[in-house]
Amino acid sequence: MRVKLLLWTLCSALLIGLLAGCSSDNSGSAQTVDGKQKVTLTYASWGSTNEKKVQEQIARQFTEKYPWIEVKYMHIPGDYVTKLTTMFAANQAPDVFPIYKAQGLQWAEQGKLYNLNEFLKEDKELTPDTLIPNAILYWDKDKVAGIKVTEEAFGLYYNADMFKEAGLPLPPTQAEQAWTWDQFLDTAKKLTIDNNGNNATSPAFDPSNVKQYGVRFDTWMWHLMVPSNGTSVISEKKDKLNLEDPQMIEAVQKMADLITVHHVAPSPTQSKNIPAPAVALQSRKVAMDLDGQWVQLDLGQSGMNYGVGVLPKLKESKTTLFGEPEVISATTKHPKEAWMFYKFLLDAKSGLDMHASGLWMPVSKEWYTDPALIQQWATVKPGHPEGYTDAIMKQTLNNGVNSYEYYLKNSEKISAIINPALDQVWLGKKTVQQAFSEISAKANAEFKGTYPEE
Amino acid sequence: MTTSAFRWQRVLLYAVLIIGSLLCLFPFYWLVRSSMMDLAQIFEMPPKWIPEPFVWRNFIEPFEQLPFGRYFLNTLIIVVGTLIGTLLSSTIAAYSFSRMKWVGRDKVFAILLTSMMLPFAVTLIPTFIGWQSLGLINSYAPLIVPAFFGGGVFNIFLLRQFYMTLPRELDEAVFVDGGNHFTIFTRIILPLSRSAVLVIGLFTFLNTWNDFMGPLVYLNDESKFTLAIGLQQFQGMYTAQWGVLMAASLIIVLPAILLFVIFQRYLIEGIALTGIKG
Amino acid sequence: MQSMTETAQRRQTISKSSLSSIRRRENWLGWLFAAPAILGFIIFVFGPMIASLWLSMTDYKVASTPHFVGLENYRNLFNGTDAFFYKSLGVTLYYVILSVPLQIIVAFFLAILLNQKVKGLTFFRTAFYLPTIVPLIASSMVWLWLFDPDMGLLNIIMRALHLPESQWIYSETTVVPTLVLMSLWTVGGTMVIFLAGLKDIPDHYYEAIEIDGGNALHKLLYITIPLTSPTIFFNTIMGFIGGFQVFVQPYVMTQGGPNNGSLFYIFYLFREAFTFSNMGYACAIAWVLFIVIMLFTFLLFRTSQKWVYYEGEGR
């Protein structure tokens, strides 16, 4: 019978499976190092190839320091949440990993993450006082989901040569001297130039043929100016979204007007064909960029003459903070060791290269106050321009406000309602007030309360 | 048919083919162009058609940043394994579903078809848990072994459609000569459906070659990663190295293109069925 | 067409003879040949399917213990609590109805052209197939530029021809038609299947038509289409199944926007499952789609008996 071939196929398939199985499963054997039980931790993260190298280095250094703890680093280059979700479902979550803030808080609520307060209470080295404000994410009273692994803060980045050529004063770096919105708008207009060479203050300015924009921003940062207008996306009583608050509407409308009224910023459509912010500044597509400090890595590498100022203000000078938390999974078998590694990760010394490159910002306070430590990162060129210590570092410490997602429950779902409504605002089809009032009821129906601030 | 009408037809034919192929080549041309540019050039407006200067570094960088050779080997292991499995098992299954008569055949086939109708997003986790309980996560087994069990309903269905068009008399002639189903399968059906088998071979190759989600979910060690995952690594969290990404894409795409150029010949050569049908 | 009826008659006379004993053995041999596929289905598909069906009746959020909630997830879908459900179903249906017939026609037409004896065939075939090989992560950049309303090539051409410009993927109303247009670039796969099907049509069928004085249209209607009908049928089914499950374009290019204009079903499902962690609910969403696709496929199979012609099946 020729059924043999069939059987052979089946057998070989099984064989392949078995072979692959044997080679993959070799953990769990009890070993001891230095008289201590050997422990293996898994640490996962996203990031570019450069970041990956630093993460691997951190894991290696940690094992050198604590030889009985081996850290397996797992790089997840894409679909991060999908992969993590799958691993969680199979009870295989990595012990330590960074996660997007909204997801992290939600997962903590669902019991997927370890309550770090258990360690924070006891730990002598790492306490809330040693950290910069806004660094700890609570999902409930005394329940800590995670601590930001690096801080991220917004500033006003610019191409200094373009300012010089236009004969304009550079954006101020100190909060007290922050530009008013009108000063900022006026500068943006003067730096927006059409194909005929007219700038946006000229009556002959042709908004449909803009060669160089005064400023750019990402529309997912629609709430950037809300804190500066003395309000928040969440109502003061924390019982609903502030979608009808005139202050909030004004703050968002000002951003939209940059695109639809003044034509000094590219619309989301136009931005798709403007390269990444760093290149846009370098290639003079835009003169200013409202962006997070991470852009400094690319700006520094480009070799261009760039600078940073504080964000313009509406009522008071503020910056929005955006850092993503590092967390420990609730299923970890070695919480104590995971916490040791966690602290090691948060220590700016461990990833000093990344901090010095401009990509990361430390979260422990002493790195913002001790001059000897500051000069190890915040003044290192080319990743940190002149004025960085004032415009970003001090601003983060003194005037930083966490983005609303750190406090809003169900924020992913609420964003899924707000963002489509805002699409029409960026296209100039609706005012912010119209857009918000249309979805207010729907968005508030998804409002499920807030997370505590401490 | 008059010669002038014939000539007009040819002109029209070539016109459509040339315009169509230009349209189709455009994205590829853009890929090639961008792979030799730095970031500023890529986004210049109005766009530049020819890189100036040529940034050849983009082609070196993928090899410096990532173990591309290793990824290539890994991808090859998965692709070859999947190809063998798919070609073996889908042809046999399709034969059964098209040229053998057995109780419940069409019902079973209809049930198999449903496996394409449930979105991967919801079967991903149960499937993952299944492989995990076998201890096969972080191995190539979840990526290869399923190919040996049917090789995908798409392929079975495609081959079934082709097998069904082959005349029944062919089988009967073999039976009369004392042959059995296995003889029909290997001597008649497989050779006659060569183009269809090649088509599923090509599709299987490309799908496996470009598959990102499967390897990403099932493989944990970087030493086991594939080219498609490597490609994604150039798209960082904050910025994308577009030039390098394009160069890396081009490197990855080239073997696939080469394969197609070789393969497509078999679509025209064909086998004259005329003699058999008579 | 006469020769066909002749062969059919001949076939019947043969099958009445001594072949019946062989046929009997086919019953278990057929199962055996299909066994790997059936086994594969039971192991790799059926288990996860049942699991997801059960999860669709729970509040499963991944890693938490699922609680049985009965049909609540399904009720929330249909009673309008979730405004995205009907929206995404509408978007997807619109796409499917527009794209499937277009793709089939274009692919079929191209396959016929590329089955002619023309110079540079290798080049043309490769060119038409190329867009399906280039990964979308790389080609999406080209598309974003082409579709740019201000500086994109498409609107530049429209302007030059004095045709109305479009917002392409940047407007709620044109995003789906634009994605349909874009999908025509990747009909290479379907085209190759058609090519393989066309190749099997013997030349003498066409010669017979020519002798009878038929023209190209007659050849198409009486030979090409009937004889490739199994392939057309296959591509139509696959077009529907694939069209309902479009995911990459919204995921990479539009993120479901603008204003949910491209909120494709699988994108919506994926977001529920992995961004919102509502896995139980996502399973319910998936099962609704499963039923919809199954109905479509069933109807197509039903109608297929009227128009699909299998040489190998005496009918």
Side-chain angles (χ1 to χ4, degrees):
Chain A
M1 284 304 290
R2 302 301 182 104
V3 187
K4 253 189 212 161
L5 180 79
L6 205 77
L7 288 171
W8 188 83
T9 310
L10 284 172
C11 290
S12 57
L14 285 172
L15 201 68
I16 289 175
L18 285 174
L19 282 175
C22 293
S23 63
S24 74
D25 198 30
N26 52 10
S27 60
S29 54
Q31 279 177 296
T32 51
V33 180
D34 291 357
K36 291 196 170 85
Q37 190 88 20
K38 191 176 179 221
V39 165
T40 306
L41 294 175
T42 315
Y43 167 52
S45 88
W46 59 65
S48 63
T49 44
N50 284 332
E51 282 178 88
K52 189 191 82 188
K53 281 183 194 129
V54 174
Q55 306 281 18
E56 282 165 345
Q57 198 187 319
I58 294 174
R60 243 192 337 267
Q61 285 167 351
F62 180 76
T63 306
E64 274 165 28
K65 200 170 166 192
Y66 307 101
W68 68 95
I69 309 174
E70 190 200 345
V71 178
K72 270 198 194 161
Y73 175 63
M74 187 191 289
H75 184 227
I76 305 175
D79 280 287
Y80 190 72
V81 177
T82 312
K83 168 113 185 178
L84 279 181
T85 307
T86 314
M87 294 178 85
F88 260 108
N91 229 343
Q92 286 225 318
D95 300 284
V96 181
F97 58 94
I99 184 73
Y100 307 108
K101 47 187 99 56
Q103 217 103 41
L105 288 161
Q106 208 183 358
W107 285 11
E109 267 186 288
Q110 292 163 5
K112 287 182 202 147
L113 305 183
Y114 210 93
N115 177 8
L116 299 186
N117 207 27
E118 284 179 27
F119 300 116
L120 268 180
K121 289 195 296 219
E122 313 270 306
D123 205 286
K124 299 213 166 51
E125 296 156 346
L126 182 64
T127 61
D129 299 332
T130 63
L131 297 167
I132 56 170
N134 301 308
I136 304 174
L137 278 73
Y138 295 88
W139 89 81
D140 208 343
K141 182 115 187 76
D142 296 326
K143 303 259 171 91
V144 173
I147 303 171
K148 291 178 188 172
V149 61
T150 65
E151 187 52 284
E152 292 173 1
F154 276 74
L156 177 60
Y157 288 88
Y158 57 87
N159 180 330
D161 291 337
M162 289 164 82
F163 273 80
K164 209 180 290 168
E165 283 158 33
L168 293 167
L170 295 176
T173 56
Q174 290 182 351
E176 299 76 49
Q177 279 127 39
W179 272 343
T180 62
W181 191 259
D182 288 337
Q183 284 174 304
F184 165 66
L185 181 61
D186 189 54
T187 313
K189 278 183 176 171
K190 285 177 181 151
L191 287 166
T192 304
I193 297 167
D194 70 11
N195 279 334
N196 300 322
N198 296 317
N199 73 28
T201 57
S202 153
F205 173 69
D206 174 11
S208 56
N209 278 305
V210 175
K211 194 174 78 185
Q212 165 188 317
Y213 285 100
V215 65
R216 70 161 292 286
F217 63 93
D218 293 301
T219 49
W220 54 264
M221 274 316 299
W222 56 270
H223 52 92
L224 182 65
M225 297 313 296
V226 173
S228 175
N229 217 16
T231 183
S232 158
V233 176
I234 305 164
S235 77
E236 208 169 336
K237 284 189 199 145
K238 305 200 188 315
D239 58 351
K240 64 178 172 78
L241 296 161
N242 246 347
L243 295 174
E244 274 126 19
D245 174 36
Q247 309 300 324
M248 158 129 158
I249 291 169
E250 185 193 17
V252 182
Q253 188 66 55
K254 291 241 189 243
M255 299 281 280
D257 286 351
L258 292 177
I259 298 172
T260 57
V261 176
H262 307 297
H263 306 286
V264 296
S267 70
T269 317
Q270 289 154 339
S271 328
K272 295 264 185 189
N273 275 300
I274 289 180
V279 189
L281 281 178
Q282 191 195 9
S283 57
R284 296 169 169 246
K285 294 265 189 296
V286 299
M288 296 183 282
D289 174 30
L290 300 171
D291 217 328
Q293 103 298 330
W294 57 77
V295 73
Q296 288 170 176
L297 173 72
D298 291 340
L299 285 169
Q301 281 177 352
S302 74
M304 66 178 290
N305 181 14
Y306 75 103
V308 63
V310 282
L311 292 174
K313 64 174 183 185
L314 295 174
K315 289 203 175 88
E316 48 200 321
S317 179
K318 293 281 178 203
T319 186
T320 297
L321 304 180
F322 229 75
E324 311 288 3
E326 191 78 30
V327 299
I328 296 180
S329 67
T331 52
T332 181
K333 291 188 190 77
H334 314 287
K336 219 178 281 164
E337 288 80 3
W339 177 248
M340 287 165 74
F341 179 64
Y342 189 95
K343 281 189 345 188
F344 192 79
L345 269 176
L346 252 56
D347 187 347
K349 270 201 291 289
S350 308
L352 196 56
D353 285 353
M354 283 289 125
H355 293 289
S357 76
L359 187 65
W360 295 355
M361 284 172 84
V363 285
S364 41
K365 214 186 266 169
E366 54 176 356
W367 287 83
Y368 289 71
T369 50
D370 182 347
L373 293 177
I374 289 174
Q375 67 163 17
Q376 287 183 50
W377 69 283
T379 55
V380 179
K381 298 209 160 47
H384 297 87
E386 219 59 62
Y388 175 85
T389 47
D390 282 334
I392 300 289
M393 195 185 82
K394 284 194 185 144
Q395 192 73 349
T396 300
L397 203 56
N398 302 329
N399 296 316
V401 179
N402 261 344
S403 169
Y404 71 93
E405 290 120 307
Y406 292 94
Y407 308 117
L408 181 63
K409 288 190 179 178
N410 208 20
S411 77
E412 298 270 14
K413 197 141 202 180
I414 290 170
S415 301
I417 297 168
I418 293 181
N419 288 334
L422 283 171
D423 281 347
Q424 294 163 301
V425 172
W426 310 123
L427 290 171
K429 286 186 186 155
K430 279 185 183 146
T431 65
V432 174
Q433 190 176 7
Q434 286 167 338
F436 278 177
S437 71
E438 275 171 28
I439 52 141
S440 179
K442 215 162 84 180
N444 273 315
E446 293 292 344
F447 183 84
K448 301 271 156 73
T450 60
Y451 300 110
E453 285 175 37
E454 55 187 337
Chain B
M1 200 178 291
T2 62
T3 44
S4 80
F6 180 72
R7 188 176 300 148
W8 271 112
Q9 272 185 6
R10 297 304 280 184
V11 170
L12 198 70
L13 175 68
Y14 276 102
V16 172
L17 284 179
I18 288 169
I19 293 171
S21 54
L22 283 181
L23 284 174
C24 287
L25 281 174
F26 189 75
F28 183 70
Y29 160 73
W30 210 251
L31 173 69
V32 176
R33 172 208 87 118
S34 309
S35 71
M36 300 174 209
M37 288 179 161
D38 60 31
L39 259 179
Q41 283 187 62
I42 289 177
F43 287 97
E44 207 160 297
M45 280 292 160
K48 277 216 173 112
W49 295 86
I50 296 165
E52 190 195 329
F54 285 83
V55 184
W56 298 113
R57 254 211 72 73
N58 287 346
F59 287 88
I60 303 166
E61 210 134 306
F63 295 93
E64 283 177 355
Q65 287 191 19
L66 296 169
F68 245 54
R70 175 80 234 180
Y71 290 177
F72 183 80
L73 195 72
N74 295 342
T75 313
L76 215 60
I77 294 171
I78 298 173
V79 165
V80 170
T82 311
L83 262 180
I84 294 174
T86 304
L87 291 179
L88 277 178
S89 67
S90 65
T91 47
I92 295 173
Y95 180 82
S96 168
F97 284 116
S98 58
R99 306 198 70 87
M100 297 172 100
K101 284 214 168 78
W102 41 280
V103 181
R105 182 189 79 169
D106 291 342
K107 286 196 185 74
V108 171
F109 182 70
I111 292 171
L112 290 202
L113 262 190
T114 62
S115 63
M116 281 186 294
M117 299 172 194
L118 203 61
F120 78 97
V122 296
T123 48
L124 181 66
I125 285 179
T127 315
F128 186 88
I129 294 174
W131 285 109
Q132 188 217 3
S133 62
L134 295 173
L136 292 175
I137 299 303
N138 202 19
S139 79
Y140 294 142
L143 304 170
I144 299 176
V145 173
F148 283 85
F149 291 88
V153 188
F154 177 91
N155 297 323
I156 298 176
F157 189 15
L158 179 60
L159 288 172
R160 169 188 178 266
Q161 294 304 93
F162 276 88
Y163 292 175
M164 281 172 99
T165 61
L166 300 173
R168 276 265 162 189
E169 299 93 316
L170 298 174
D171 304 12
E172 277 142 16
V174 175
F175 284 135
V176 170
D177 292 349
N180 57 26
H181 275 293
F182 198 78
T183 348
I184 302 172
F185 177 60
T186 53
R187 304 263 167 82
I188 311 277
I189 305 295
L190 274 187
L192 285 184
S193 63
R194 193 171 63 166
S195 57
V197 174
L198 278 168
V199 166
I200 66 159
L202 177 81
F203 286 174
T204 307
F205 174 87
L206 279 178
N207 284 341
T208 322
W209 189 258
N210 287 335
D211 184 23
F212 170 69
M213 205 53 118
L216 180 86
V217 167
Y218 286 109
L219 304 175
N220 294 338
D221 294 349
E222 214 196 327
S223 61
K224 291 177 179 149
F225 279 5
T226 62
L227 287 171
I229 300 184
L231 196 60
Q232 191 77 29
Q233 283 173 293
F234 293 107
Q235 264 209 329
M237 161 90 169
Y238 301 105
T239 51
Q241 304 162 276
W242 280 110
V244 183
L245 178 72
M246 294 288 158
S249 309
L250 197 60
I251 298 170
I252 292 171
V253 157
L254 278 180
I257 296 176
L258 214 67
L259 193 85
F260 182 79
V261 171
I262 300 167
F263 154 87
Q264 62 81 34
R265 272 195 306 137
Y266 295 99
L267 286 181
I268 188 116
E269 273 183 2
I271 311 130
L273 278 174
T274 340
I276 312 167
K277 274 188 183 166
Chain C
M1 303 303 278
Q2 221 173 4
S3 67
M4 284 180 205
T5 45
E6 262 173 42
T7 45
Q9 276 165 3
R10 197 150 51 105
R11 189 182 303 137
Q12 274 183 346
T13 51
I14 294 174
S15 60
K16 273 178 198 153
S17 68
S18 63
L19 294 166
S20 57
S21 65
I22 300 166
R23 291 268 177 249
R24 247 176 277 131
R25 271 182 41 210
E26 272 189 17
N27 220 350
W28 68 269
L29 214 56
W31 276 95
L32 193 68
F33 271 49
I38 296 170
L39 220 62
F41 178 82
I42 293 168
I43 300 170
F44 302 116
V45 183
F46 191 66
M49 268 171 108
I50 293 306
S52 73
L53 183 62
W54 178 70
L55 287 176
S56 79
M57 289 177 241
T58 68
D59 63 352
Y60 185 51
K61 295 208 184 275
V62 181
S64 60
T65 325
H67 302 285
F68 187 78
V69 295
L71 295 176
E72 194 188 306
N73 288 332
Y74 292 93
R75 261 199 303 278
N76 285 342
L77 278 178
F78 288 106
N79 69 14
T81 311
D82 181 349
F84 296 125
F85 171 68
Y86 287 111
K87 176 76 194 171
S88 67
L89 202 60
V91 165
T92 310
L93 265 176
Y94 182 31
Y95 177 85
V96 166
I97 288 167
L98 222 55
S99 72
V100 175
L102 265 175
Q103 283 172 9
I104 298 287
I105 292 167
V106 170
F108 190 71
F109 179 67
L110 283 178
I112 289 178
L113 290 188
L114 291 177
N115 201 36
Q116 311 287 319
K117 289 193 175 57
V118 283
K119 287 205 180 75
L121 201 63
T122 309
F123 167 78
F124 286 127
R125 284 181 171 181
T126 313
F128 283 107
Y129 193 66
L130 212 49
T132 54
I133 308 180
V134 179
L136 194 71
I137 180 177
S139 63
S140 65
M141 211 179 75
V142 192
W143 294 112
L144 289 174
W145 172 61
L146 284 175
F147 293 139
D148 186 291
D150 294 329
M151 293 168 290
L153 187 66
L154 288 180
N155 268 1
I156 292 177
I157 294 172
M158 296 300 243
R159 244 170 272 159
L161 297 174
H162 298 288
L163 290 168
E165 291 173 37
S166 169
Q167 291 289 310
W168 305 108
I169 58 168
Y170 300 104
S171 144
E172 205 181 327
T173 46
T174 52
V175 59
V176 169
T178 306
L179 289 178
V180 170
L181 191 72
M182 198 182 125
S183 76
L184 294 183
W185 252 267
T186 49
V187 293
T190 317
M191 177 195 85
V192 164
I193 296 173
F194 274 133
L195 265 177
L198 287 172
K199 199 222 67 182
D200 286 341
I201 301 177
D203 284 342
H204 70 262
Y205 283 14
Y206 290 118
E207 284 154 18
I209 290 261
E210 268 172 39
I211 291 164
D212 292 349
N215 59 20
L217 188 68
H218 291 129
K219 283 187 198 167
L220 182 73
L221 288 180
Y222 300 118
I223 303 291
T224 315
I225 290 181
L227 286 186
T228 48
S229 61
T231 326
I232 298 176
F233 176 63
F234 172 82
N235 280 331
T236 312
I237 298 254
M238 286 306 144
F240 272 107
I241 294 178
F244 273 113
Q245 302 194 45
V246 166
F247 173 65
V248 196
Q249 286 89 334
Y251 191 56
V252 175
M253 292 179 64
T254 63
Q255 280 78 48
N259 197 15
N260 295 325
S262 63
L263 188 74
F264 281 91
Y265 200 84
I266 300 290
F267 180 77
Y268 154 69
L269 185 161
F270 193 83
R271 197 169 70 178
E272 283 292 340
F274 293 101
T275 310
F276 305 157
S277 297
N278 289 330
M279 193 54 76
Y281 190 58
C283 286
I285 297 174
W287 272 86
V288 172
L289 182 72
F290 180 81
I291 304 291
V292 171
I293 299 182
M294 215 155 68
L295 276 176
F296 262 85
T297 316
F298 177 75
L299 286 176
L300 273 169
F301 262 92
R302 264 296 160 84
T303 64
S304 78
Q305 286 158 5
K306 296 208 178 70
W307 62 274
V308 179
Y309 169 76
Y310 295 112
E311 177 91 350
E313 297 266 286
R315 188 172 286 136

